[in-house]
Amino acid sequence: MSRCGTGSKAATGEYRLGFDGHMYVLAFDHRGNFRRVLFGIEGDPDEEQTARIAAAKRVVFDGLVAAVASGGVPEDRVGVLVDEQFGGEVPALARENGMLLSMPAEKSDQALFDFEYGDAFGEHIAAHGVSFTKVLVRQNPDGDAEGNRVQLERLKRLADWLHENDTAFLYELLVPPTEDQLAAADGDVLRFEREQRPELIRRAMADAQAAGVEADIWKLEGVHNPAEAAMLVAQARNAPHREDVVCVLLGAGAPDERVREWMSTVAAVEGYAGFAIGRSIWMEPLRRLLAHETDREGAVAEIAERYLRFVRFYEEAVRSTAAGDI
């Protein structure tokens, strides 16, 4: 259960942000990845193409249902992150199954955050009864200053509306490197991620907070040691009304080994509350299904197993941390 209040009270600490418990969210709100990468569709899909994409997303959801039916995941931690455009019946089915439901507010494939439905964003959020609303934001504190200012103004408008309407806010933050930052890492993206990105994430979070953008849940890129993860939690919780804010790990479509490394790191830190992972779970099973290398039943089973594999790994990492093994 989320705890949130009105945006006008945020600065005085008269309400508390945050989220109780843990979440294991299967994220398939991707629109460009489905349209272009999986289906090879350029431009806006027609009605038939939209139906095909929606059918693929239903396969992903059925994989999650199969995972829950197996008893391998605590039901109160199961979450769905799906979009309105291609989600079809999934949002309603997620609610019927008692799952945490999150839906995106951002327009897909945009360098700067903007609203998917313009001034009608609130009507669309209210219509689906979400547990929390998600935004994907690309924000580098040393990047385009004017672009950062513009999108933070838009995000404050969203955050204020959400808190005024008692809806929690999931802020997915990506920090792409600037040319100078990448050059400082000799063009090595992995070196940038290790040497520069953790502090850039923290600064981007601080910039959002300073702009009055209050998140209940921060969905963050992976870091490589517990001290960095603790630093990000400290930033997320740096005021009395933010003491219950949590962080969750995103997958970024990374290979299993890297995602597990990130999980092992964040599991050691109080304030991380699970994950929201997508492509690392469903991309390969759907690719094989569309290539007729497997059938629907096989794809559903593979998605269920991949999801459960991450759940088991995360929970084992938490237990190992509690036992002092990490």
Side-chain angles (χ1 to χ4, degrees):
M1 181 69 67
S2 64
R3 292 179 295 273
C4 25
T6 64
S8 62
K9 295 182 180 180
T12 65
E14 294 178 23
Y15 75 97
R16 298 176 74 87
L17 299 156
F19 181 85
D20 291 324
H22 282 68
M23 66 182 77
Y24 303 133
V25 176
L26 182 52
F28 51 111
D29 63 317
H30 310 66
R31 284 145 283 173
N33 272 282
F34 273 83
R35 178 172 53 81
R36 290 191 309 274
V37 178
L38 283 172
F39 287 89
I41 299 169
E42 296 296 336
D44 294 331
D46 60 26
E47 185 175 342
E48 179 183 356
Q49 292 168 331
T50 296
R52 290 176 61 208
I53 297 172
K57 295 208 172 196
R58 179 60 187 269
V59 171
V60 177
F61 178 74
D62 287 351
L64 183 61
V65 171
V68 175
S70 75
V73 56
E75 292 188 14
D76 62 347
R77 299 185 177 190
V78 176
V80 170
L81 173 51
V82 68
D83 58 294
E84 180 175 328
Q85 182 181 10
F86 299 126
E89 297 178 335
V90 169
L93 291 171
R95 290 196 307 271
E96 289 175 14
N97 281 272
M99 298 173 178
L100 298 167
L101 173 62
S102 183
M103 300 182 75
E106 80 275 0
K107 188 178 294 185
S108 183
D109 296 333
Q110 301 291 305
L112 295 182
F113 166 80
D114 204 355
F115 293 98
E116 172 73 9
Y117 297 104
D119 291 339
F121 71 89
E123 299 170 26
H124 286 263
I125 293 169
H128 290 286
V130 298
S131 306
F132 32 85
T133 291
K134 167 257 181 184
V135 296
L136 170 62
V137 182
R138 294 173 178 85
Q139 179 186 341
N140 188 313
D142 292 334
D144 177 5
E146 177 61 14
N148 286 344
R149 183 192 66 78
V150 168
Q151 67 179 355
L152 287 173
E153 285 183 357
R154 294 169 180 168
L155 288 161
K156 185 179 188 306
R157 180 185 177 196
L158 173 64
D160 288 351
W161 186 94
L162 291 172
H163 296 137
E164 288 165 3
N165 288 273
D166 197 27
T167 301
F169 186 14
L170 188 158
Y171 193 119
E172 179 177 358
L173 174 62
L174 301 181
V175 181
T178 66
E179 291 184 5
D180 288 345
Q181 289 164 354
L182 196 56
D186 294 327
D188 185 337
V189 174
L190 292 180
R191 181 178 163 191
F192 161 77
E193 291 178 1
R194 288 182 177 274
E195 295 180 357
Q196 300 178 61
R197 192 170 68 182
E199 173 61 13
L200 290 170
I201 294 172
R202 187 202 65 77
R203 289 175 55 204
M205 295 169 70
D207 288 349
Q209 291 169 333
V213 182
E214 296 285 0
D216 297 274
I217 304 157
W218 290 92
K219 182 182 175 188
L220 301 176
E221 296 171 291
V223 292
H224 300 279
N225 65 68
E228 292 170 344
M231 173 185 71
L232 299 182
V233 171
Q235 185 63 53
R237 295 178 163 182
N238 67 346
H241 65 287
R242 299 182 183 128
E243 289 176 353
D244 296 314
V245 171
V246 297
C247 302
V248 297
L249 177 69
L250 59 82
D256 284 12
E257 183 177 349
R258 288 190 70 202
V259 177
R260 289 193 183 107
E261 178 189 353
W262 296 335
M263 282 187 175
S264 296
T265 299
V266 303
V269 177
E270 172 65 26
Y272 269 83
F275 63 74
I277 295 175
R279 288 170 293 166
S280 301
I281 294 172
W282 49 256
M283 179 63 85
E284 182 59 19
L286 286 186
R287 187 202 64 77
R288 288 173 9 89
L289 175 63
L290 295 172
H292 306 290
E293 297 171 2
T294 188
D295 58 13
R296 190 182 194 281
E297 182 179 357
V300 166
E302 187 175 356
I303 289 166
E305 175 52 32
R306 284 172 174 257
Y307 172 79
L308 288 171
R309 196 183 308 158
F310 282 122
V311 170
R312 288 192 295 266
F313 188 87
Y314 193 95
E315 296 206 326
E316 288 167 4
V318 170
R319 285 194 292 271
S320 294
T321 300
D325 296 336
I326 295 179

